[in-house]
Amino acid sequence: MYPSSRPRRLRATAAMRGLVRETAVASRQLVLPVFVKEGATEPVPIPSMPGVVQHTRDSLRKAAVDAVAAGLGGIMLFGVPANRDATGSGGIDPEGVLNTALRDVRAEVGDDIVIMADTCLDEFTDHGHCGVLDGAGRVDNDATLALYAQMAVAQVQAGAHVVGPSGMMDGQVGAIRTALDDAGYPDAGILAYSAKYASAFYGPFRDAVESALLGDRLAYQQDPANAREALREVALDLAEGADIVMVKPALSYLDVVRAVAEVSDVPVAAYQVSGEYSMVEAAVACGWLDRRRAVLETLTSICRAGADLVLTYWAVQAATWLR
Ligand code: PBG
């Protein structure tokens, strides 16, 4: 007696497997997050993210050229300022590190790649929170919205095609959309960090941006236990005009990526965050995982779950494998 149903028929040869493969990741779907450090004269390695650096202005320009050459879809810029203050004014200042870097990158690569900017105050505040604080030391949602609006306009003026509000303030997409439209930038896009969880996997990123945060972000980022809440956040962001909605982190939240993909009528992004990068790199360094296979498996899984684009620190490396 033979089993009549034989799924293995479709796995017999590489050609057969290729013929029936459901998910293919392409470099055009990948976005490289990059860090630029004010005043740096040499790229500075980030110990908890082996292979990732804080760029100088010049090395960032070169990284942007390399990203274009690799066929990436986008590059997401994060600034590491020399000075911070209570309101994160360096994030809005046209001469601040992030806006300066946006001008550099736009001048270097133009429209050859989608240039994105992190629209959040945490890298620029001396307390490390994503917004400004009220008298009681809590993050003041509505006062923060006014600053995000100014920050987004400054980023688009500097050269960003897309702004990425990542602070999880209520109403941030609507406030930014209105500000961009009023400033004469109706074509600038918004990549909304819609479902951003309060995750341990951001640890290495906080080293990368030299975060000043002492407490936590539990009062504004989502509880990892909640999936339904992500759909509410996505619905609000869509109603406010988000062009792309994002789930973050990726690997621990594939169910959320899938749920969002089922309801969203705009593209869905997923952010494979710093800790996802570092845990694989650490295992690779120990000889415990094969880098190429592990990285491509994670990216394929994120796309299979429903992501149309993926932010990943492996973007350039993965693009060379995907050629
Ligand atoms: C906030 C922001 C964070 C990340 C992206 N944008 C950090 C945080 O919320 O604490 C994390 C990205 C990563 O871990 O790779 N501006």
Side-chain angles (χ1 to χ4, degrees), residues 84 121-131 133 137 139 198-199 202-203 205-207 209-218 220-221:
R84 298 172 154 97
L121 293 175
D122 65 311
E123 288 97 17
F124 296 95
T125 52
D126 54 13
H127 44 74
H129 278 294
C130 295
L133 306 182
V139 174
S199 174
Y202 306 149
F205 174 95
R206 300 208 181 147
D207 296 340
V209 298
E210 303 170 18
S211 173
L213 185 70
L214 291 175
D216 59 55
R217 307 198 195 290
L218 296 170
Y220 42 104
Q221 297 181 345

mmCIF file of all heavy atoms in Angstrom, residues 84 121-131 133 137 139 198-199 202-203 205-207 209-218 220-221:
data_model
loop_
_atom_site.group_PDB
_atom_site.id
_atom_site.type_symbol
_atom_site.label_atom_id
_atom_site.label_comp_id
_atom_site.label_asym_id
_atom_site.label_seq_id
_atom_site.Cartn_x
_atom_site.Cartn_y
_atom_site.Cartn_z
ATOM 1 N N ARG A 84 21.960 66.840 23.560
ATOM 2 C CA ARG A 84 20.525 66.563 23.688
ATOM 3 C C ARG A 84 19.906 67.584 24.639
ATOM 4 O O ARG A 84 20.600 68.114 25.506
ATOM 5 C CB ARG A 84 20.333 65.147 24.233
ATOM 6 C CG ARG A 84 20.889 64.057 23.305
ATOM 7 C CD ARG A 84 20.842 62.689 23.987
ATOM 8 N NE ARG A 84 20.758 61.606 23.030
ATOM 9 C CZ ARG A 84 21.784 60.893 22.586
ATOM 10 N NH1 ARG A 84 22.998 61.137 23.026
ATOM 11 N NH2 ARG A 84 21.617 59.920 21.710
ATOM 12 N N LEU A 121 11.598 61.713 18.726
ATOM 13 C CA LEU A 121 12.470 62.593 19.504
ATOM 14 C C LEU A 121 13.478 61.849 20.374
ATOM 15 O O LEU A 121 14.375 62.465 20.930
ATOM 16 C CB LEU A 121 11.611 63.507 20.391
ATOM 17 C CG LEU A 121 10.756 64.532 19.632
ATOM 18 C CD1 LEU A 121 9.861 65.285 20.621
ATOM 19 C CD2 LEU A 121 11.634 65.511 18.858
ATOM 20 N N ASP A 122 13.335 60.519 20.516
ATOM 21 C CA ASP A 122 14.123 59.843 21.557
ATOM 22 C C ASP A 122 15.629 59.973 21.376
ATOM 23 O O ASP A 122 16.369 60.003 22.348
ATOM 24 C CB ASP A 122 13.728 58.373 21.684
ATOM 25 C CG ASP A 122 14.050 57.559 20.444
ATOM 26 O OD1 ASP A 122 13.694 58.009 19.335
ATOM 27 O OD2 ASP A 122 14.650 56.485 20.564
ATOM 28 N N GLU A 123 16.092 60.056 20.123
ATOM 29 C CA GLU A 123 17.533 60.211 19.947
ATOM 30 C C GLU A 123 18.006 61.611 20.334
ATOM 31 O O GLU A 123 19.199 61.830 20.518
ATOM 32 C CB GLU A 123 17.937 59.939 18.479
ATOM 33 C CG GLU A 123 17.852 58.476 18.070
ATOM 34 C CD GLU A 123 16.549 58.143 17.362
ATOM 35 O OE1 GLU A 123 15.856 59.066 16.894
ATOM 36 O OE2 GLU A 123 16.213 56.954 17.272
ATOM 37 N N PHE A 124 17.062 62.528 20.437
ATOM 38 C CA PHE A 124 17.437 63.937 20.618
ATOM 39 C C PHE A 124 17.103 64.507 21.996
ATOM 40 O O PHE A 124 17.467 65.631 22.301
ATOM 41 C CB PHE A 124 16.751 64.784 19.530
ATOM 42 C CG PHE A 124 17.222 64.428 18.145
ATOM 43 C CD1 PHE A 124 16.512 63.525 17.365
ATOM 44 C CD2 PHE A 124 18.386 64.970 17.635
ATOM 45 C CE1 PHE A 124 16.952 63.166 16.093
ATOM 46 C CE2 PHE A 124 18.842 64.622 16.363
ATOM 47 C CZ PHE A 124 18.122 63.725 15.591
ATOM 48 N N THR A 125 16.371 63.721 22.816
ATOM 49 C CA THR A 125 16.019 64.228 24.149
ATOM 50 C C THR A 125 17.037 63.755 25.190
ATOM 51 O O THR A 125 17.587 62.651 25.091
ATOM 52 C CB THR A 125 14.616 63.738 24.582
ATOM 53 O OG1 THR A 125 14.547 62.316 24.444
ATOM 54 C CG2 THR A 125 13.533 64.391 23.743
ATOM 55 N N ASP A 126 17.241 64.622 26.202
ATOM 56 C CA ASP A 126 18.217 64.270 27.249
ATOM 57 C C ASP A 126 17.659 63.243 28.232
ATOM 58 O O ASP A 126 18.405 62.630 28.982
ATOM 59 C CB ASP A 126 18.751 65.528 27.958
ATOM 60 C CG ASP A 126 17.640 66.416 28.501
ATOM 61 O OD1 ASP A 126 16.475 65.973 28.569
ATOM 62 O OD2 ASP A 126 17.945 67.573 28.855
ATOM 63 N N HIS A 127 16.326 63.022 28.205
ATOM 64 C CA HIS A 127 15.725 61.988 29.049
ATOM 65 C C HIS A 127 15.469 60.707 28.259
ATOM 66 O O HIS A 127 15.114 59.683 28.823
ATOM 67 C CB HIS A 127 14.409 62.494 29.665
ATOM 68 C CG HIS A 127 13.529 63.220 28.684
ATOM 69 N ND1 HIS A 127 12.832 62.558 27.709
ATOM 70 C CD2 HIS A 127 13.295 64.545 28.497
ATOM 71 C CE1 HIS A 127 12.171 63.450 26.972
ATOM 72 N NE2 HIS A 127 12.437 64.668 27.418
ATOM 73 N N GLY A 128 15.640 60.767 26.941
ATOM 74 C CA GLY A 128 15.546 59.563 26.118
ATOM 75 C C GLY A 128 14.147 59.120 25.745
ATOM 76 O O GLY A 128 13.978 58.113 25.037
ATOM 77 N N HIS A 129 13.119 59.845 26.189
ATOM 78 C CA HIS A 129 11.760 59.458 25.810
ATOM 79 C C HIS A 129 11.439 59.938 24.394
ATOM 80 O O HIS A 129 12.082 60.847 23.866
ATOM 81 C CB HIS A 129 10.730 59.974 26.825
ATOM 82 C CG HIS A 129 10.622 59.079 28.021
ATOM 83 N ND1 HIS A 129 10.128 57.797 27.937
ATOM 84 C CD2 HIS A 129 10.979 59.278 29.313
ATOM 85 C CE1 HIS A 129 10.169 57.234 29.128
ATOM 86 N NE2 HIS A 129 10.691 58.100 29.982
ATOM 87 N N CYS A 130 10.419 59.320 23.825
ATOM 88 C CA CYS A 130 10.046 59.607 22.434
ATOM 89 C C CYS A 130 9.250 60.899 22.293
ATOM 90 O O CYS A 130 8.917 61.308 21.182
ATOM 91 C CB CYS A 130 9.262 58.430 21.854
ATOM 92 S SG CYS A 130 10.265 56.933 21.727
ATOM 93 N N GLY A 131 8.910 61.517 23.414
ATOM 94 C CA GLY A 131 8.187 62.780 23.363
ATOM 95 C C GLY A 131 8.651 63.697 24.469
ATOM 96 O O GLY A 131 9.566 63.345 25.221
ATOM 97 N N LEU A 133 8.054 65.800 28.048
ATOM 98 C CA LEU A 133 7.449 65.406 29.319
ATOM 99 C C LEU A 133 6.591 66.529 29.881
ATOM 100 O O LEU A 133 6.889 67.714 29.682
ATOM 101 C CB LEU A 133 8.554 65.059 30.331
ATOM 102 C CG LEU A 133 9.575 64.003 29.871
ATOM 103 C CD1 LEU A 133 10.575 63.710 30.984
ATOM 104 C CD2 LEU A 133 8.886 62.712 29.422
ATOM 105 N N GLY A 137 6.308 64.433 34.671
ATOM 106 C CA GLY A 137 7.316 63.536 34.124
ATOM 107 C C GLY A 137 6.767 62.475 33.186
ATOM 108 O O GLY A 137 7.469 61.536 32.820
ATOM 109 N N VAL A 139 5.078 61.346 29.440
ATOM 110 C CA VAL A 139 5.182 61.802 28.052
ATOM 111 C C VAL A 139 3.861 62.459 27.658
ATOM 112 O O VAL A 139 2.796 61.855 27.761
ATOM 113 C CB VAL A 139 5.537 60.632 27.117
ATOM 114 C CG1 VAL A 139 5.500 61.085 25.667
ATOM 115 C CG2 VAL A 139 6.919 60.091 27.463
ATOM 116 N N ALA A 198 6.615 47.297 22.950
ATOM 117 C CA ALA A 198 7.636 47.602 23.954
ATOM 118 C C ALA A 198 8.501 46.349 24.090
ATOM 119 O O ALA A 198 8.200 45.436 24.851
ATOM 120 C CB ALA A 198 6.976 47.959 25.278
ATOM 121 N N SER A 199 9.581 46.304 23.313
ATOM 122 C CA SER A 199 10.312 45.053 23.127
ATOM 123 C C SER A 199 11.715 45.081 23.705
ATOM 124 O O SER A 199 12.437 46.076 23.584
ATOM 125 C CB SER A 199 10.409 44.767 21.616
ATOM 126 O OG SER A 199 11.229 43.647 21.376
ATOM 127 N N TYR A 202 14.942 45.799 21.286
ATOM 128 C CA TYR A 202 15.519 47.084 20.874
ATOM 129 C C TYR A 202 16.830 47.388 21.613
ATOM 130 O O TYR A 202 17.421 48.446 21.395
ATOM 131 C CB TYR A 202 14.550 48.251 21.138
ATOM 132 C CG TYR A 202 13.172 48.113 20.550
ATOM 133 C CD1 TYR A 202 12.074 48.693 21.181
ATOM 134 C CD2 TYR A 202 12.957 47.425 19.361
ATOM 135 C CE1 TYR A 202 10.793 48.582 20.655
ATOM 136 C CE2 TYR A 202 11.676 47.304 18.836
ATOM 137 C CZ TYR A 202 10.603 47.874 19.495
ATOM 138 O OH TYR A 202 9.339 47.755 18.968
ATOM 139 N N GLY A 203 17.253 46.474 22.478
ATOM 140 C CA GLY A 203 18.429 46.753 23.315
ATOM 141 C C GLY A 203 19.649 47.244 22.551
ATOM 142 O O GLY A 203 20.188 48.321 22.856
ATOM 143 N N PHE A 205 19.900 48.590 19.630
ATOM 144 C CA PHE A 205 19.622 49.885 18.985
ATOM 145 C C PHE A 205 19.895 51.024 19.963
ATOM 146 O O PHE A 205 20.407 52.070 19.591
ATOM 147 C CB PHE A 205 18.167 49.930 18.535
ATOM 148 C CG PHE A 205 17.696 51.261 17.981
ATOM 149 C CD1 PHE A 205 17.700 51.499 16.615
ATOM 150 C CD2 PHE A 205 17.223 52.264 18.826
ATOM 151 C CE1 PHE A 205 17.246 52.715 16.103
ATOM 152 C CE2 PHE A 205 16.771 53.478 18.323
ATOM 153 C CZ PHE A 205 16.789 53.707 16.958
ATOM 154 N N ARG A 206 19.548 50.793 21.221
ATOM 155 C CA ARG A 206 19.752 51.871 22.202
ATOM 156 C C ARG A 206 21.242 52.130 22.401
ATOM 157 O O ARG A 206 21.641 53.265 22.657
ATOM 158 C CB ARG A 206 19.019 51.543 23.495
ATOM 159 C CG ARG A 206 17.520 51.397 23.180
ATOM 160 C CD ARG A 206 16.581 51.710 24.295
ATOM 161 N NE ARG A 206 15.214 51.499 23.816
ATOM 162 C CZ ARG A 206 14.212 51.069 24.561
ATOM 163 N NH1 ARG A 206 14.410 50.810 25.838
ATOM 164 N NH2 ARG A 206 13.019 50.912 24.035
ATOM 165 N N ASP A 207 22.067 51.108 22.236
ATOM 166 C CA ASP A 207 23.522 51.359 22.215
ATOM 167 C C ASP A 207 23.877 52.154 20.962
ATOM 168 O O ASP A 207 24.667 53.094 21.006
ATOM 169 C CB ASP A 207 24.308 50.035 22.148
ATOM 170 C CG ASP A 207 24.100 49.178 23.385
ATOM 171 O OD1 ASP A 207 23.688 49.724 24.427
ATOM 172 O OD2 ASP A 207 24.365 47.966 23.295
ATOM 173 N N VAL A 209 22.272 54.281 19.209
ATOM 174 C CA VAL A 209 21.940 55.711 19.221
ATOM 175 C C VAL A 209 22.354 56.369 20.536
ATOM 176 O O VAL A 209 22.015 57.523 20.789
ATOM 177 C CB VAL A 209 20.437 55.973 18.942
ATOM 178 C CG1 VAL A 209 20.057 55.480 17.556
ATOM 179 C CG2 VAL A 209 19.547 55.357 20.007
ATOM 180 N N GLU A 210 23.104 55.614 21.374
ATOM 181 C CA GLU A 210 23.581 56.138 22.660
ATOM 182 C C GLU A 210 22.402 56.701 23.466
ATOM 183 O O GLU A 210 22.463 57.815 23.985
ATOM 184 C CB GLU A 210 24.677 57.191 22.427
ATOM 185 C CG GLU A 210 25.843 56.632 21.624
ATOM 186 C CD GLU A 210 26.844 57.693 21.166
ATOM 187 O OE1 GLU A 210 26.840 58.801 21.739
ATOM 188 O OE2 GLU A 210 27.623 57.404 20.249
ATOM 189 N N SER A 211 21.345 55.910 23.506
ATOM 190 C CA SER A 211 20.102 56.358 24.150
ATOM 191 C C SER A 211 20.314 56.771 25.605
ATOM 192 O O SER A 211 21.034 56.126 26.359
ATOM 193 C CB SER A 211 19.063 55.233 24.101
ATOM 194 O OG SER A 211 17.927 55.596 24.862
ATOM 195 N N ALA A 212 19.643 57.867 25.964
ATOM 196 C CA ALA A 212 19.737 58.385 27.331
ATOM 197 C C ALA A 212 18.632 57.818 28.231
ATOM 198 O O ALA A 212 18.554 58.171 29.406
ATOM 199 C CB ALA A 212 19.644 59.911 27.298
ATOM 200 N N LEU A 213 17.809 56.937 27.688
ATOM 201 C CA LEU A 213 16.627 56.471 28.423
ATOM 202 C C LEU A 213 17.004 55.699 29.691
ATOM 203 O O LEU A 213 17.810 54.781 29.652
ATOM 204 C CB LEU A 213 15.776 55.565 27.516
ATOM 205 C CG LEU A 213 14.454 55.110 28.115
ATOM 206 C CD1 LEU A 213 13.490 56.283 28.224
ATOM 207 C CD2 LEU A 213 13.837 53.998 27.260
ATOM 208 N N LEU A 214 16.381 56.081 30.813
ATOM 209 C CA LEU A 214 16.594 55.353 32.059
ATOM 210 C C LEU A 214 15.410 54.447 32.367
ATOM 211 O O LEU A 214 15.580 53.342 32.841
ATOM 212 C CB LEU A 214 16.817 56.336 33.214
ATOM 213 C CG LEU A 214 18.141 57.111 33.134
ATOM 214 C CD1 LEU A 214 18.237 58.150 34.249
ATOM 215 C CD2 LEU A 214 19.336 56.148 33.194
ATOM 216 N N GLY A 215 14.200 54.910 32.070
ATOM 217 C CA GLY A 215 13.009 54.121 32.392
ATOM 218 C C GLY A 215 12.638 53.162 31.284
ATOM 219 O O GLY A 215 13.480 52.427 30.763
ATOM 220 N N ASP A 216 11.380 53.166 30.919
ATOM 221 C CA ASP A 216 10.913 52.290 29.847
ATOM 222 C C ASP A 216 9.846 53.026 29.048
ATOM 223 O O ASP A 216 9.488 54.157 29.358
ATOM 224 C CB ASP A 216 10.357 50.979 30.432
ATOM 225 C CG ASP A 216 9.199 51.235 31.388
ATOM 226 O OD1 ASP A 216 8.223 51.899 30.973
ATOM 227 O OD2 ASP A 216 9.259 50.790 32.548
ATOM 228 N N ARG A 217 9.358 52.369 27.987
ATOM 229 C CA ARG A 217 8.373 53.005 27.108
ATOM 230 C C ARG A 217 6.996 52.335 27.215
ATOM 231 O O ARG A 217 6.207 52.366 26.287
ATOM 232 C CB ARG A 217 8.863 52.935 25.655
ATOM 233 C CG ARG A 217 10.262 53.467 25.414
ATOM 234 C CD ARG A 217 10.466 53.771 23.939
ATOM 235 N NE ARG A 217 11.846 53.947 23.550
ATOM 236 C CZ ARG A 217 12.626 54.975 23.877
ATOM 237 N NH1 ARG A 217 12.173 55.937 24.649
ATOM 238 N NH2 ARG A 217 13.868 55.037 23.442
ATOM 239 N N LEU A 218 6.742 51.696 28.370
ATOM 240 C CA LEU A 218 5.524 50.897 28.501
ATOM 241 C C LEU A 218 4.248 51.723 28.419
ATOM 242 O O LEU A 218 3.185 51.187 28.108
ATOM 243 C CB LEU A 218 5.553 50.127 29.831
ATOM 244 C CG LEU A 218 6.679 49.092 29.930
ATOM 245 C CD1 LEU A 218 6.792 48.556 31.350
ATOM 246 C CD2 LEU A 218 6.460 47.957 28.938
ATOM 247 N N TYR A 220 3.658 54.046 26.236
ATOM 248 C CA TYR A 220 3.274 54.395 24.866
ATOM 249 C C TYR A 220 3.479 53.275 23.854
ATOM 250 O O TYR A 220 2.725 53.169 22.907
ATOM 251 C CB TYR A 220 3.905 55.722 24.388
ATOM 252 C CG TYR A 220 5.355 55.993 24.729
ATOM 253 C CD1 TYR A 220 6.339 55.871 23.762
ATOM 254 C CD2 TYR A 220 5.745 56.414 26.000
ATOM 255 C CE1 TYR A 220 7.670 56.155 24.055
ATOM 256 C CE2 TYR A 220 7.070 56.693 26.300
ATOM 257 C CZ TYR A 220 8.031 56.552 25.325
ATOM 258 O OH TYR A 220 9.344 56.815 25.618
ATOM 259 N N GLN A 221 4.464 52.422 24.015
ATOM 260 C CA GLN A 221 4.588 51.292 23.086
ATOM 261 C C GLN A 221 3.661 50.164 23.535
ATOM 262 O O GLN A 221 3.270 50.085 24.700
ATOM 263 C CB GLN A 221 6.044 50.810 23.038
ATOM 264 C CG GLN A 221 6.973 51.895 22.489
ATOM 265 C CD GLN A 221 8.415 51.462 22.390
ATOM 266 O OE1 GLN A 221 8.814 50.450 22.977
ATOM 267 N NE2 GLN A 221 9.217 52.222 21.659
#
